[in-house]
Amino acid sequence: MNTITRLVVYAIISLTFATTQAQEKEVDSIKKTSVDYKIEALEEQKIKIEKEEKDFLRQEIEAINERLDTKQITVEEAEELKKEAAKKRAANIENRLSIIDNKIALLSRNEPGYLVKDNEGSYFSISFGEDDEECQAIRLGKKNKPKKYDRRTKSDLVFAFGFNNTVSEERSLDDSPYKLGGSGFLELGLAWKTRIFDNTNFWRLKYGFSFQWNKLNIKNNQYFVNDEGNVSLQEFPLDLKKAKFRTTNLVFPVHLEFGPSKKIEKENYFRYSTVNKFKMGLGGYAGLNIGSMQKLKYKEDGDRVKDKQRGEFEVNEFVYGLSGYISWGSMALYAKYDLNPLFKDQAFDQNNISVGLRFDMD
């Protein structure tokens, strides 16, 4: 399970970094729009058309000259055939260039992302924005499908990180046995957002799945001990260099998101954009714990020892909690709280709590 988790994490991290790097490029560095690129390709195609027809004419003239040399035709007949061939190729060039000029005119008067069929029967468009002026996307396809008039659902990568600790009735964060600075969380996943009502985008439902890693950096030379199912912190017999405990959860969050939107209306479609708008999401999550590990580093008889203990701590298998975020722009302040105790059986219940930043705000 840990191997599968790592593979999924690596894939999502790669996609996240690729997406982040693309979005961080300054708009001023984009020298050409999607229309410019397509028009440039069509202009190059016009040059190829002229060369292609001239090559065909040259081959036809060579064939006529061969017939003349072998006395299959007279000089007068050869000249007449050459004139006809030249006239045909000139008409071909004119007709084919006219088709290209019409495509250029079509692109020039339509918005970026308008699909135009090329000679190979495929379609190509590049547009920047979320189906509007602010989108950054590349589309390739075989069918010239028109834009969907109303797209109510969209998807995003979820990436969040920050501080992690536990709270309980017996202890506050000031009395926590875990280091505040060294304890953290990471979340990676996918989320879909659907507009709830037909004529307003103020209320949205955001849902998906995420992998959550919650890490506790244990202080005061302590470590977790499982004594016949009762998990507690105890003094380690040697000098600990590091003691960390981590849980890995697969959860399915659901948030009710709300906030203003900008409506973008075109001739054949419309979209709601929440870019650079206030957003707030309130909800929760439920899922499963898919792994736990305690990592200890210490020296014994002068030798460095790294001890990894997996799945020995009676962690609650069913995970559920509350979460929410508040955002203005592409980054949100994010918090989550596990309603389930961390362990099944312990001296006192402690619940995981996390606060950090979230980066799936479009």
Side-chain angles (χ1 to χ4, degrees):
M1 180 65 74
N2 288 330
T3 301
I4 296 174
T5 302
R6 290 193 190 98
L7 292 175
V8 173
V9 172
Y10 293 157
I12 296 177
I13 288 177
S14 299
L15 288 172
T16 302
F17 286 143
T19 303
T20 303
Q21 290 173 357
Q23 292 178 343
E24 287 177 349
K25 292 181 180 179
E26 295 294 330
V27 174
D28 292 340
S29 68
I30 302 174
K31 301 298 184 182
K32 299 173 182 176
T33 67
S34 59
V35 173
D36 292 330
Y37 278 114
K38 188 63 179 176
I39 291 176
E40 181 179 310
L42 290 171
E43 292 288 355
E44 293 175 357
Q45 192 173 343
K46 290 170 65 175
I47 298 174
K48 292 180 181 179
I49 286 172
E50 292 185 2
K51 183 178 181 301
E52 185 179 79
E53 292 293 338
K54 288 177 181 179
D55 287 341
F56 287 149
L57 178 59
R58 177 180 52 80
Q59 294 171 14
E60 289 175 345
I61 290 175
E62 289 175 355
I64 293 170
N65 287 334
E66 288 179 3
R67 294 175 63 190
L68 179 62
D69 292 340
T70 58
K71 305 210 187 283
Q72 297 179 24
I73 56 175
T74 64
V75 174
E76 292 76 16
E77 291 174 334
E79 290 298 319
E80 187 64 24
L81 289 174
K82 290 177 182 179
K83 289 180 182 179
E84 291 178 1
K87 185 177 180 180
K88 181 182 71 173
R89 293 303 169 185
N92 286 354
I93 292 174
E94 181 180 358
N95 294 153
R96 293 177 69 183
L97 293 184
S98 178
I99 293 172
I100 300 299
D101 288 337
N102 286 334
K103 288 184 178 181
I104 292 174
L106 189 64
L107 284 170
S108 299
R109 67 172 173 265
N110 286 286
E111 72 277 6
Y114 190 85
L115 299 181
V116 176
K117 185 175 181 179
D118 60 24
N119 285 348
E120 289 71 36
S122 60
Y123 298 83
F124 174 76
S125 72
I126 302 177
S127 59
F128 299 90
E130 178 101 29
D131 287 326
D132 54 48
E133 296 90 342
E134 305 174 33
C135 198
Q136 296 186 22
I138 296 177
R139 299 182 181 88
L140 292 169
K142 286 292 181 182
K143 294 183 179 180
N144 190 5
K145 294 182 179 180
K147 283 180 181 288
K148 190 174 182 180
Y149 181 73
D150 178 14
R151 194 178 73 180
R152 299 182 65 161
T153 300
K154 55 187 294 187
S155 61
D156 294 294
L157 283 172
V158 176
F159 174 61
F161 69 93
F163 298 103
N164 187 68
N165 219 287
T166 66
V167 293
S168 64
E169 294 181 358
E170 288 77 8
R171 287 177 178 170
S172 65
L173 284 177
D174 294 334
D175 301 326
S176 174
Y178 314 114
K179 297 179 182 179
L180 295 178
S183 302
F185 83 96
L186 179 68
E187 181 172 339
L188 292 169
L190 287 172
W192 288 265
K193 183 163 63 177
T194 299
R195 189 174 87 246
I196 296 177
F197 298 106
D198 289 333
N199 300 319
T200 176
N201 193 49
F202 189 83
W203 300 97
R204 288 93 64 178
L205 190 65
K206 195 157 190 174
Y207 50 93
F209 70 91
S210 292
F211 290 93
Q212 294 178 347
W213 293 266
N214 300 317
K215 184 182 70 173
L216 297 172
N217 195 344
I218 309 171
K219 58 185 181 181
N220 299 329
N221 209 59
Q222 296 184 97
Y223 74 122
F224 281 117
V225 176
N226 186 352
D227 184 10
E228 296 182 353
N230 185 16
V231 178
S232 62
L233 286 170
Q234 297 184 16
E235 182 78 16
F236 193 71
L238 300 173
D239 184 20
L240 276 172
K241 298 297 182 183
K242 185 181 293 186
K244 294 184 178 181
F245 183 76
R246 186 186 71 204
T247 58
T248 303
N249 302 326
L250 171 61
V251 298
F252 300 88
V254 177
H255 293 96
L256 179 63
E257 184 181 287
F258 56 91
S261 301
K262 175 185 177 183
K263 188 174 183 180
I264 300 168
E265 296 184 89
K266 299 293 183 179
E267 183 178 349
N268 57 345
Y269 72 93
F270 76 91
R271 296 289 184 267
Y272 286 103
S273 174
T274 59
V275 175
N276 295 325
K277 299 291 185 180
F278 171 81
K279 292 175 281 288
M280 179 177 287
L282 299 174
Y285 52 91
L288 300 172
N289 173 263
I290 57 176
S292 61
M293 181 183 72
Q294 180 170 245
K295 184 177 182 180
L296 306 175
K297 288 187 178 181
Y298 55 92
K299 281 188 176 182
E300 187 174 20
D301 298 329
D303 296 328
R304 293 181 179 179
V305 179
K306 294 182 180 179
D307 185 12
K308 295 182 179 180
Q309 304 164 349
R310 303 178 187 272
E312 303 175 4
F313 302 98
E314 301 295 328
V315 174
N316 267 311
E317 297 174 354
F318 182 55
V319 180
Y320 58 98
L322 302 174
S323 58
Y325 53 85
I326 183 170
S327 167
W328 189 290
S330 59
M331 182 176 65
L333 181 63
Y334 177 52
K336 60 185 182 68
Y337 173 70
D338 286 356
L339 293 174
N340 61 284
L342 181 58
F343 301 105
K344 294 179 181 178
D345 191 6
Q346 52 191 7
F348 56 89
D349 288 343
Q350 51 183 327
N351 300 67
N352 203 80
I353 187 170
S354 308
V355 177
L357 299 177
R358 179 168 170 148
F359 294 91
D360 64 322
M361 301 294 107
D362 51 3

